Amino acid sequence: MISRCFIGCRPTVPKGDRGRICFKDLLYMLWGQFNRMPPLSLFLFVQKNVTFCFPASASSLELIKGLSRKSRCSLIISQLDGFSMSRSLLLEVGLCLGSKLESLSLPGSSITEASLLALLPRLTSLRRLDLRGLDSLFMSGAFLSREEHRQQVRSALSGLEELDLSDLRYLSDVTFNRLTGCTPRLRRLSLAGCHIAFEFDPYRGCPVGDVKDSSALLSLRNVRRLLTEQKSSLVALDLSRTSITPESLRTIAQVQDLVLEELSLHGCKELTDYSVEVLVQHQPSIQRLDISACTELTSRSVEATARGLKSMTHLSLSRNWRITEKGLAELLSVSSLRRLDLSECLHVSGTEVVKGLTGSCAARAQLETLSLKGCTYIRDLAVFSLTQLLGDSLRELDLTSCVNVTDLSVRAIATYLLKLVVLRLGWCKEVTDWGLLGIVETTKCDPDQETGDKGPRFTRTFGNMGFFKPPRLPFEERPKLVTQTDLQQFKQQAGASLLALCRLQELDLSACPKLTDSSITQVVRYPDLRRLSLSMLPEISDASLASVARHCRSLTSLALSHCPGISDCGVAQAAPHLHRLQHLYLSCCNNITDRSLFLLVQHCGRLRTLDISRCKNISVTAVDVLQSQLPFFENVHCKYIGGADPSLALTD
């Protein structure tokens, strides 16, 4: 198992190792007695199969030297530029890790051609190279223009399997040929977001293919040439966010002896149902297919994939608004399917999904991940049926913005989906404390009873006449408040509350306004929870924050934006328990002051991202102190802090 480690973060114990104390854990237990991190050299010695992610800085040189003791490693180095410090860092990578580096990614960087050409010939064990967005390399068109450089790079990268060239604005036929000529055994290639000319060359005013090796753009002819040359090894292709046409996709799909297993076409808005039908006809071995945000596709594409891709494991159909229920039952009969994304497919109600899952276990999908985000027609009956049918397999469920989901669905999830690892219920505004606690609410709190108004209620009003009162909308009804007696019943009952999902690692309850401290303090108690969102919960207070911190000490990401009840007092109680926190979101929390920032500096040394936008009681000085004191800090969002008026902000 390969994990990613942001330097300064204690690595987690793999799931299969839980219950055993390994040497690594013993080191942390011993050093934990002194409330500080183990030495860097000790930390690096016990880590295996880890991707180290860090920004370019002078302190990174020591880390690179420490990594030289490892037999193999992977790096993600951000914020590199053309100055001497970045050049020295890349040189150190080549000298210390040249034969040990398996993966290299340089996001958010702007390095020179000379710096990379000095590094690549030393990386003789490299298997993955990520150059996405590095326009500085390809702008001049001279990258790898010299034969001696190409020979050196070809010798080092002969074993490269994965090449990511996404979002390169200046990639052309010439530079593409030079680079891919040095990587003869590619298995995965990404050209997402690149400017590819599929049909017409706008610079020469002629069809693509009439001119050989353009120095201005990348053409379909050149991409097809690469697929033909490396058809024996290439199995994954990403052409997302390109202007690929139906005819161009047919040309790629028909490359002789090309057998694709993964294809991503996200956001290719020119594609039609005919494109998908031709694709599955010529590439029936595709296992992972992403055709999300291809807005011209309809249910014909769903039926085509169901009939043509019998070994499919992952399918994304999100944001394809023309897709209806038609074909989903047939799709869910594909027994190999494990991951299905139907988010923002507005006409999906779940009826056909349930129908497709009611067959025998051998003839239906064993879904591990299901996303129904933004499917507003999803109701409790569909969720109840899905939880029963997928109880043995489902690990991730996304019901974000399913506005008709209520406490009944939450109780069904807690009863049947005991293996769930990720649960997202954000913006499910009908979810209340009762659902999380697993208690049946017997009566609703009627506003009219509170005010003593026993008058008639009419379905119509004729202007503002005073004595006519419209019926209340469902989302305006307030649930009965949970009392101490109810909480005592919760503690004694054996029923299913959300607490039963003991394997949760991610939970999103944001914008569920009916949730209060009563449920958050009693239910959100997951020792393995990594990511938690409680943003836009106006009824929670410092009590919830303190309880979460005590019971969820593995948290790396915590969102509390727009929670007016959170204050310095809650941060003071929580911070000592959140040593692993990396991302914290507190925007629009006006009771947060400079004191909270000083507490974060004191206790949360691994913090990388902080959002304190629109916190009117935080000063710029405190932000500067926080940035200077946290060694791994990367990004702070601090717009309109200190009471600044957003209406006075300058605009471009």
Side-chain angles (χ1 to χ4, degrees):
M1 181 180 69
I2 299 176
S3 59
R4 179 177 299 182
C5 178
F6 295 95
I7 300 303
C9 309
R10 174 183 169 183
T12 59
V13 182
K15 187 179 297 184
D17 293 338
R18 291 173 188 158
R20 303 197 305 267
I21 298 180
C22 60
F23 177 60
K24 173 180 63 179
D25 296 314
L26 182 59
L27 288 174
Y28 272 98
M29 291 169 61
L30 294 174
W31 283 91
Q33 300 298 320
F34 303 98
N35 195 31
R36 60 189 178 94
M37 286 285 293
L40 181 61
S41 58
L42 198 60
F43 172 81
L44 298 177
F45 175 73
V46 298
Q47 284 302 298
K48 296 180 179 179
N49 299 332
V50 172
T51 296
F52 292 89
C53 179
F54 54 90
S57 64
S59 59
S60 302
L61 293 173
E62 180 187 352
L63 169 64
I64 298 300
K65 294 176 182 178
L67 289 174
S68 64
R69 305 175 189 178
K70 297 177 64 64
S71 60
R72 56 179 181 173
C73 65
S74 300
L75 297 182
I76 300 177
I77 310 175
S78 58
Q79 303 174 21
L80 287 164
D81 53 33
F83 292 97
S84 58
M85 189 275 293
S86 293
R87 293 197 299 270
S88 299
L89 182 60
L90 290 177
L91 181 62
E92 199 69 28
V93 169
L95 292 174
C96 297
L97 305 176
S99 61
K100 304 174 182 180
L101 197 62
E102 294 186 333
S103 174
L104 177 63
S105 179
L106 306 173
S109 299
S110 181
I111 61 176
T112 63
E113 300 170 20
S115 297
L116 190 62
L117 289 176
L119 172 64
L120 289 180
R122 298 177 181 272
L123 306 183
T124 54
S125 298
L126 203 63
R127 295 294 176 267
R128 181 180 185 274
L129 179 60
D130 184 349
L131 300 178
R132 54 184 156 173
L134 292 181
D135 287 324
S136 58
L137 285 177
F138 299 91
M139 188 178 299
S140 68
F143 184 58
L144 289 174
S145 58
R146 296 175 60 178
E147 178 61 29
E148 60 181 287
H149 289 158
R150 291 199 294 273
Q151 290 179 356
Q152 293 172 353
V153 174
R154 187 182 301 115
S155 177
L157 301 187
S158 59
L160 193 74
E161 296 179 352
E162 184 172 349
L163 180 61
D164 192 338
L165 301 176
S166 303
D167 300 307
L168 292 175
R169 290 180 293 174
Y170 304 107
L171 189 64
S172 66
D173 284 343
V174 173
T175 51
F176 181 75
N177 289 346
R178 291 173 187 164
L179 181 56
T180 55
C182 300
T183 58
R185 297 184 181 86
L186 285 180
R187 290 181 54 82
R188 307 172 67 88
L189 174 65
S190 177
L191 295 171
C194 290
H195 296 277
I196 305 176
F198 289 99
E199 302 291 346
F200 186 77
D201 186 340
Y203 294 99
R204 297 182 180 270
C206 61
V208 170
D210 289 359
V211 179
K212 185 177 181 181
D213 294 346
S214 170
S215 60
L217 52 79
L218 179 62
S219 65
L220 170 65
R221 175 187 55 78
N222 234 27
V223 174
R224 190 178 188 280
R225 177 200 57 77
L226 176 72
L227 298 179
T228 303
E229 291 178 355
Q230 303 198 22
K231 59 188 177 184
S232 60
S233 60
L234 198 68
V235 296
L237 181 62
D238 188 350
L239 294 172
S240 298
R241 297 179 283 112
T242 63
S243 56
I244 187 170
T245 63
E247 183 62 26
S248 301
L249 183 60
R250 183 182 67 82
T251 300
I252 291 175
Q254 290 181 336
V255 171
Q256 189 173 2
D257 297 328
L258 177 67
V259 181
L260 290 177
E261 297 177 2
E262 300 180 27
L263 179 61
S264 181
L265 298 168
H266 168 78
C268 296
K269 301 183 184 299
E270 302 293 325
L271 298 183
T272 64
D273 292 326
Y274 169 75
S275 313
V276 177
E277 291 169 344
V278 172
L279 172 66
V280 300
Q281 177 184 355
H282 293 282
Q283 294 292 333
S285 297
I286 291 179
Q287 299 175 14
R288 300 187 179 206
L289 178 62
D290 184 351
I291 47 176
S292 58
C294 298
T295 51
E296 295 298 315
L297 301 186
T298 71
S299 293
R300 272 180 57 191
S301 296
V302 178
E303 294 173 318
T305 55
R307 295 168 185 168
L309 303 180
K310 293 303 182 181
S311 59
M312 178 172 54
T313 60
H314 294 60
L315 177 62
S316 178
L317 298 168
S318 67
R319 297 172 59 191
N320 289 333
W321 304 306
R322 299 189 180 191
I323 288 178
T324 64
E325 289 280 294
K326 185 179 180 182
L328 291 180
E330 187 176 2
L331 178 65
L332 270 298
S333 66
V334 178
S335 59
S336 60
L337 191 61
R338 294 294 178 267
R339 184 185 182 98
L340 178 60
D341 187 353
L342 293 171
S343 57
E344 298 184 52
C345 292
L346 303 180
H347 301 290
V348 172
S349 65
T351 304
E352 290 297 302
V353 176
V354 171
K355 182 179 178 181
L357 291 171
T358 52
S360 63
C361 291
R364 63 181 174 90
Q366 301 294 319
L367 289 181
E368 297 174 358
T369 299
L370 175 61
S371 178
L372 297 169
K373 174 182 177 181
C375 297
T376 54
Y377 287 164
I378 294 291
R379 298 183 180 273
D380 288 332
L381 180 59
V383 176
F384 184 78
S385 300
L386 289 171
T387 56
Q388 289 182 304
L389 293 166
L390 297 172
D392 293 332
S393 62
L394 202 63
R395 300 294 183 272
E396 181 176 335
L397 177 62
D398 191 346
L399 295 174
T400 303
S401 296
C402 292
V403 294
N404 291 309
V405 165
T406 72
D407 292 340
L408 294 175
S409 293
V410 178
R411 286 196 287 269
I413 291 169
T415 301
Y416 298 107
L417 300 181
L418 299 180
K419 298 180 180 179
L420 214 58
V421 175
V422 176
L423 175 61
R424 302 188 183 101
L425 294 171
W427 294 90
C428 294
K429 296 189 175 183
E430 293 304 307
V431 172
T432 71
D433 290 334
W434 299 93
L436 268 62
L437 292 168
I439 305 175
V440 178
E441 181 182 1
T442 55
T443 59
K444 289 275 187 182
C445 182
D446 192 341
D448 289 342
Q449 293 178 1
E450 294 178 358
T451 59
D453 183 4
K454 303 296 183 180
R457 302 179 69 185
F458 297 85
T459 58
R460 286 186 178 180
T461 61
F462 299 92
N464 187 14
M465 301 177 66
F467 56 86
F468 287 104
K469 186 175 182 180
R472 294 185 66 85
L473 297 174
F475 59 81
E476 293 178 324
E477 296 181 2
R478 288 182 294 171
K480 177 185 174 184
L481 295 178
V482 177
T483 65
Q484 288 298 325
T485 304
D486 296 322
L487 289 180
Q488 193 63 31
Q489 175 190 346
F490 161 70
K491 294 176 182 179
Q492 295 174 355
Q493 72 173 358
S497 72
L498 214 62
L499 193 59
L501 305 181
C502 58
R503 302 185 184 185
L504 274 188
Q505 295 183 16
E506 179 179 342
L507 177 62
D508 183 358
L509 297 173
S510 57
C512 297
K514 297 180 180 180
L515 298 180
T516 70
D517 290 337
S518 298
S519 60
I520 301 299
T521 56
Q522 299 296 324
V523 170
V524 184
R525 300 183 174 189
Y526 307 109
D528 294 328
L529 195 67
R530 312 290 171 77
R531 293 174 294 278
L532 174 64
S533 179
L534 300 176
S535 295
M536 292 176 281
L537 300 188
E539 300 297 327
I540 67 171
S541 68
D542 290 332
S544 289
L545 175 55
S547 175
V548 165
R550 285 195 304 270
H551 297 100
C552 307
R553 301 195 182 194
S554 297
L555 279 177
T556 60
S557 177
L558 176 60
L560 295 165
S561 298
H562 296 270
C563 293
I566 301 299
S567 70
D568 290 340
C569 182
V571 176
Q573 298 177 64
H577 304 295
L578 297 176
H579 296 296
R580 301 177 67 179
L581 195 64
Q582 298 176 26
H583 309 281
L584 179 61
Y585 305 92
L586 295 170
S587 64
C588 297
C589 294
N590 287 326
N591 291 322
I592 296 294
T593 70
D594 291 349
R595 182 189 173 207
S596 291
L597 269 59
F598 296 136
L599 288 165
L600 293 175
V601 170
Q602 182 180 356
H603 298 288
C604 303
R606 303 169 195 176
L607 199 65
R608 298 175 52 237
T609 303
L610 177 65
D611 186 356
I612 47 174
S613 304
R614 300 176 185 267
C615 292
K616 63 182 182 181
N617 293 313
I618 290 180
S619 67
V620 176
T621 303
V623 174
D624 291 339
V625 171
L626 178 132
Q627 288 181 292
S628 65
Q629 294 296 317
L630 292 176
F632 310 109
F633 202 70
E634 295 180 0
N635 196 9
V636 58
H637 301 276
C638 54
K639 284 187 176 181
Y640 314 128
I641 62 172
D645 186 356
S647 64
L648 300 179
L650 296 176
T651 57
D652 295 331

